[in-house]
Amino acid sequence: MKITIGSLEFDHATYDSTGDVLYLHVGEPRAAADADETPEGHLLRRDDQGAVIGLTIISPKHFLQRDGEIIVTMPEAQHVSASELEPVLVA
């Protein structure tokens, strides 16, 4: 399943329903060299060249139920709708 947020296409997704955490990866999941917290509290993971290789979205179901969307600033604010994430959150 592919999920596009802004200009990034994530091709691997894992959802932890117990913790309500969504892990998105560009390519195969791998260790990040660095991570930046977004203003919304999510984590952008980067490789050693600074390219985004992953995004951890904290409490996606909570935000989707409350707001109908998730906002992720990377560096511009990106709005992700419930319909875009529903398939991975249901799995």
Side-chain angles (χ1 to χ4, degrees):
M1 159 171 291
K2 294 185 182 186
I3 296 173
T4 302
I5 300 175
S7 62
L8 292 174
E9 183 173 274
F10 299 95
D11 50 8
H12 288 82
T14 304
Y15 178 62
D16 172 3
S17 61
T18 303
D20 193 19
V21 180
L22 177 60
Y23 302 94
L24 302 174
H25 305 276
V26 176
E28 288 294 322
R30 59 187 188 262
D34 193 20
D36 300 314
E37 185 174 345
T38 70
E40 303 81 21
H42 310 303
L43 292 175
L44 281 172
R45 296 185 314 279
R46 301 179 184 277
D47 66 12
D48 53 359
Q49 279 86 40
V52 174
I53 59 169
L55 172 62
T56 302
I57 299 178
I58 309 300
S59 303
K61 277 196 175 178
H62 166 77
F63 287 112
L64 292 173
Q65 289 171 349
R66 187 186 74 185
D67 304 330
E69 68 178 0
I70 296 171
I71 300 173
V72 181
T73 303
M74 43 188 255
E76 298 86 25
Q78 304 298 321
H79 297 257
V80 185
S81 70
S83 62
E84 293 174 276
L85 292 180
E86 185 177 19
V88 72
L89 297 178
V90 173

